[in-house]
Amino acid sequence: MSEKPWYSAGLRFECQACGGCCTGDPGYVWVDPEEIVALARALAFPKLDFEQRLVRTIGRKKSLREFPNGDCVIFDTEKRGCRAYEARPAQCRTWPFWASNLESLESWEDTALQCPGCNMGDVVPLEDIEKRVNNTPF
């Protein structure tokens, strides 16, 4: 019988729409072919045009491009939100429930220092957290 994770009672999270997870330090927002199609459709781009302009290849994987300051290329700085929110990639939909953020209470609290939605709102049950962790593309 496996031991329950430290967050087995669930964790509180409610997105504060601050854009912090879409902006700042450079990184990668991994996208798969289906996500590229969905994002292109949501932004009314032909797929090939979207991919050439807004996606970069990193080894064998693909990531959304970023502006020089690290902001995601589909983040709307004026409205402070994703221009394709309903079609956002799995990596974005699963935040902050990534394995690295759930390693320990300390790692969750470190995440909460950067993300004001952590420890806010309703409790996200363990089952939903595990679904998100299992759908994270890295």
Side-chain angles (χ1 to χ4, degrees), residues 4 21 24-25 28 40 44 64 67 69 74-75 84 87 94 96 99 108 112-113 115 118 120 126 132-134 137:
K4 289 185 177 184
C21 56
D25 293 338
Y28 302 105
L64 293 176
F67 292 111
N69 66 356
I74 62 173
F75 183 74
T94 58
W108 178 257
L113 292 173
C115 177
C118 293
M120 300 289 288
L126 175 62
R132 292 185 196 185
V133 170
N134 292 333

Side-chain angles (χ1 to χ4, degrees), residues 15-16 26 37 45 50 58 60 72-73 76-77 79 81 85 87 92 99 123 132 134:
C15 180
Q16 303 297 297
V37 169
F45 274 87
F50 175 86
I58 310 294
R60 294 183 179 188
C72 178
V73 74
D76 185 324
T77 56
K79 294 180 181 177
Y85 186 82
C92 304
V123 171
R132 292 185 196 185
N134 292 333

Side-chain angles (χ1 to χ4, degrees), residues 50-127:
F50 175 86
E51 194 162 1
Q52 288 175 342
R53 291 178 55 190
L54 303 178
V55 177
R56 60 188 167 154
T57 301
I58 310 294
R60 294 183 179 188
K61 298 169 100 178
K62 298 202 181 242
S63 174
L64 293 176
R65 292 186 186 273
E66 299 171 320
F67 292 111
N69 66 356
D71 291 0
C72 178
V73 74
I74 62 173
F75 183 74
D76 185 324
T77 56
E78 289 180 16
K79 294 180 181 177
R80 300 294 304 163
C82 180
R83 293 187 297 134
Y85 186 82
E86 293 304 318
R88 69 197 186 282
Q91 181 174 338
C92 304
R93 287 192 312 272
T94 58
W95 174 262
F97 301 108
W98 296 352
S100 59
N101 296 337
L102 299 171
E103 288 178 359
S104 65
L105 176 58
E106 293 76 22
S107 56
W108 178 257
E109 292 302 329
D110 286 345
T111 302
L113 292 173
Q114 304 300 315
C115 177
C118 293
N119 303 322
M120 300 289 288
D122 294 333
V123 171
V124 178
L126 175 62
E127 178 180 293

